[in-house]
Amino acid sequence: MTGVLRPAPGPQDLPRRAFVAQVMGLPMSVHVRGPRAASAEVAAAVATAFDDLREDEAMFSLWRPDSPASRIRDGRDRLADAHPRVRHVAALCELAGQRTGGAFSAWIPGPDGRPRFDPTGLVKGWAVEEAFTGLQERLRPLGAHDALVCAGGDIAVACRRTDTPDWVVAIEDPRDRTRVLRTLALRSGAVATSGTAARGAHILDPETGAPVSGLASATVIGPGLTWADVYATAAFVRGRAAIGWLATLADHAALLVAADGTTTTVEGLRKAG
């Protein structure tokens, strides 16, 4: 898990406000700082972001038996006939499978061994990134504001100001969640963690459908939340064998925590130019 630490005041102690909602079964928070952070216009922009997330929850939730994703999962509907947004996510999941060497998939074997549609490993990060991008566009006419979204511990940040401190993100120790392993100072980008500390053994091996437990946690830092989240999940599935693969990922870094508490930091390749 990751969390937000309050930064020290900047040269201008600008207004800031936090907004919290329960979406996708998780507490999600949005933090905004800037001259109009406490205004009704900012509150409306954040409310729209939460509404966007609720629309994706209604479309992709596998807890809702009549959601489009559930109907594909149980065979009532065909993916080929699904809403364009569902087909887009399925295509991203296919790409994720290619990028992770099969350590990620939206088709997980069920109890009978047949693959069942489950894009949830990508949907949360993607939906949050989409909503966060829309929020930044709505904030733009209101002046320069910094923003951060925390979705159950997965975090995306953006700073449009130059007179503010970095956002500070803490990576928890999965064996003792009161302890911080690392802190990260970020002005843009995303941090995602996969592990068993918060939700137990819920990450499944896409090949067998069985829960994975080789690591305590895998955290990935990158430019965007969609792929940071996918890569964190894939790294957790791969276990310690993920180290070499993570080192090939451009503009990403990772922190792996083994079951015995041993930590390994991996720096990915830098893009040329």
Side-chain angles (χ1 to χ4, degrees):
M1 288 285 290
T2 49
V4 184
L5 299 180
R6 183 179 175 89
Q12 299 178 35
D13 194 9
L14 293 167
R16 62 185 70 203
R17 186 174 176 187
F19 306 81
V20 182
Q22 192 80 8
V23 189
M24 296 183 177
L26 299 165
M28 294 198 183
S29 62
V30 173
H31 304 253
V32 179
R33 63 188 183 193
R36 299 179 67 182
S39 70
E41 291 85 357
V42 166
V46 173
T48 300
F50 284 138
D51 287 343
D52 291 343
L53 286 164
R54 292 186 184 98
E55 287 184 11
D56 281 329
E57 179 181 22
M59 186 167 291
F60 291 101
S61 173
L62 297 178
W63 294 100
R64 301 185 182 193
D66 212 40
S67 73
S70 289
R71 294 180 66 86
I72 294 166
R73 180 179 174 85
D74 63 21
R76 282 176 288 168
D77 291 342
R78 298 190 315 152
L79 179 58
D81 300 327
H83 188 282
R85 202 161 175 83
V86 176
R87 297 201 307 271
H88 176 67
V89 163
L92 282 176
C93 288
E94 288 293 320
L95 179 59
Q98 296 168 20
R99 289 189 178 186
T100 63
F104 183 95
S105 178
W107 297 93
I108 307 295
D112 58 1
R114 290 187 297 177
R116 305 175 71 193
F117 186 57
D118 184 355
T120 52
L122 180 141
V123 161
K124 184 186 76 170
W126 168 80
V128 170
E129 184 171 6
E130 290 270 296
F132 190 56
T133 299
L135 171 63
Q136 292 175 69
E137 290 303 311
R138 287 187 289 274
L139 290 177
R140 193 184 300 275
L142 304 178
H145 290 76
D146 299 339
L148 176 151
V149 60
C150 179
D154 293 339
I155 292 171
V157 307
C159 292
R160 297 198 181 278
R161 303 192 64 84
T162 59
D163 59 350
T164 51
D166 297 339
W167 293 108
V168 182
V169 177
I171 302 175
E172 295 176 356
D173 184 340
R175 304 196 313 159
D176 177 2
R177 296 180 62 194
T178 65
R179 179 171 174 260
V180 173
L181 285 180
R182 302 281 170 84
T183 57
L184 308 170
L186 297 177
R187 296 198 67 75
S188 67
V191 185
T193 298
S194 290
T196 58
R199 297 174 56 197
H202 68 287
I203 301 170
L204 306 180
D205 185 326
E207 194 170 314
T208 66
V212 179
S213 58
L215 294 174
S217 68
T219 297
V220 172
I221 305 99
L225 189 55
T226 300
W227 291 106
D229 196 15
V230 165
Y231 293 152
T233 299
F236 191 83
V237 169
R238 283 174 173 256
R240 289 192 60 81
I243 294 172
W245 165 71
L246 286 165
T248 70
L249 299 179
D251 293 336
H252 287 77
L255 176 67
L256 305 182
V257 183
D260 64 1
T262 304
T263 62
T264 303
T265 302
V266 184
E267 290 284 345
L269 298 172
R270 295 294 178 187
K271 286 183 179 177

